[in-house]
Amino acid sequence: MNAMLLSVGFIPLVDAAPLIVAERMGFAAEEGLALDLRRGPSWSAVRDMLAIGQVQAAHLLAPVPVAQALGLGGSVTALDAVSVLSVNGNVIGVSPNLSERMRTIGHRFEFDDAVEAGRALIAAAEQPLRVGVPFPFSMHAELVYYWLSALGLPSPQNLSVRTVPPAMMPDAMAAGEIDAFCVGEPWGSYAVDRGDATLLLPGSAIWSFAPEKVLAVRTDWAAAEPELRGRLIRAVWRAGRWLSDAEHRLVAAELLSRAEHLNISAELIERALSGRIVISGTGEERRVPRFLEFHAHAASFPWRSQGAWIGAQLSSRTGLDRAQSARLGAQKFRSDYYRAALEPTGGDLPTASARVEGGLAEDSPAGSRAGRLILAKDAFFDGRTFDPSIP
């Protein structure tokens, strides 16, 4: 049987791994697919490649399908998130000058306390604080806004959030265009190795189990191609399961490091896969449990409540109706498509499609098809929760 060719857009980031592994390690072929991986220069470029049909699927920021549904960002093409590709994986870094000022006032860069780190950042920063994020509608931006607003730094008077493509983030920091960044790996570690940044926090210190990238397709394509849709979801799910095995990290790092993929040192990639993060030029290292997750604890399940949270967050800074935004956001995370695709695999899926986000202070058992599912801690740093059933 000849494999069906699907074109897939991606950005050179470690969290593109499930797509790259699905093609290079044969999981796509097992589903009768051949993935034509097309690297994009920016998130807007990848979004537009998907919107105009240059690719059939894409590695995409989790908030983008929700933003599209809310009429934000310029593109009107409806997109669906049919799977979560990755959970967590971002780092927040600060410039050498800002790092020095923070150390002067006593901050120790322990890399795990979002309250202490945020307060030190606010105290040491010149106003307005200029923070680079890869796209206006990204989990990077949502985490930064959520974190700093909870600690009392208002926007826009004291906070300037600027869009910088991931691979250009180290250069923007070196040029003095930004004071801090929130970016996916390996670009934070790359900035550290060049001496252009000190890492302050992992994104997981703000929200401990945040959906970062999604497998996105056009809404019309998803409805018209249920068989291809299911095959693609399964191929990527199997790749994520393979990536979750620690014994595969070195192979994965070497694969991702190739010129056609990330074109960067395998060592930097392995840091993200292992959660062994070097935070400064002096070699200070921090170990971060679940720094980047692809499979365990239902990481790839597209919870409707995740989409609702994103919609509610977007509404809070754009003036849109909160209840309607949350409802539209929930519709974009297609747990129904995911369930249908994984039914033949026997994978242990949650029985619910929504939950109270931030409601788990520790790993906890959850209702599931096989009764073996343990959901990971998903707490927000400030103890708040989000119930999608409450407008």
Side-chain angles (χ1 to χ4, degrees), residues 153-298:
L153 186 69
S155 176
Q157 295 85 357
N158 301 94
L159 179 62
S160 174
V161 176
R162 305 183 178 190
T163 301
V164 182
M168 296 177 65
M169 205 71 77
D171 290 339
M173 186 77 92
E177 297 170 1
I178 54 176
D179 308 303
F181 58 61
C182 183
V183 72
E185 283 289 78
W187 301 110
S189 289
Y190 183 67
V192 169
D193 275 19
R194 291 199 336 182
D196 295 324
T198 298
L199 299 185
L200 177 63
L201 283 176
S204 58
I206 299 170
W207 184 7
S208 56
F209 211 70
E212 175 52 35
K213 303 301 189 309
V214 295
L215 175 62
V217 298
R218 293 188 309 281
T219 299
D220 58 354
W221 184 90
E225 300 284 358
E227 183 182 352
L228 285 178
R229 182 192 74 213
R231 285 198 248 165
L232 179 60
I233 292 170
R234 285 192 296 274
V236 174
W237 177 79
R238 290 191 170 99
R241 182 175 60 180
W242 183 88
L243 282 160
S244 70
D245 187 335
E247 294 185 358
H248 297 153
R249 285 175 186 158
L250 292 179
V251 173
E254 291 292 341
L255 176 63
L256 294 173
S257 73
R258 294 178 182 175
E260 66 269 29
H261 300 146
L262 273 63
N263 193 28
I264 202 166
S265 162
E267 180 188 353
L268 295 183
I269 295 169
E270 198 274 333
R271 291 181 196 174
L273 294 175
S274 66
R276 180 182 56 84
I277 308 299
V278 176
I279 69 163
S280 75
T282 62
E284 294 175 272
E285 184 178 297
R286 304 287 184 265
R287 293 189 176 272
V288 184
R290 295 175 188 154
F291 175 78
L292 176 60
E293 189 62 73
F294 297 111
H295 179 77
H297 309 290

Side-chain angles (χ1 to χ4, degrees), residues 48-65:
D48 293 346
M49 287 162 62
L50 180 60
I52 66 176
Q54 287 184 344
V55 297
Q56 285 79 54
H59 164 235
L60 208 59
L61 299 153
V64 169

Side-chain angles (χ1 to χ4, degrees), residues 85-174:
L85 286 179
S86 61
V87 165
N88 301 333
N90 294 326
V91 290
I92 295 169
V94 296
S95 70
N97 287 340
L98 185 48
S99 169
E100 185 177 348
R101 291 199 298 271
M102 293 177 69
R103 290 186 190 276
T104 297
I105 64 174
H107 185 61
R108 297 182 297 172
F109 286 84
E110 295 295 335
F111 210 58
D112 60 358
D113 188 333
V115 173
E116 181 186 5
R119 287 175 177 166
L121 176 63
I122 292 168
E126 297 177 352
Q127 303 296 323
L129 173 64
R130 302 169 301 164
V131 181
V133 300
F135 197 65
F137 309 112
S138 61
M139 193 57 69
H140 315 80
E142 298 316 316
L143 291 176
V144 166
Y145 283 122
Y146 184 93
W147 173 47
L148 294 179
S149 64
L151 294 175
L153 186 69
S155 176
Q157 295 85 357
N158 301 94
L159 179 62
S160 174
V161 176
R162 305 183 178 190
T163 301
V164 182
M168 296 177 65
M169 205 71 77
D171 290 339
M173 186 77 92

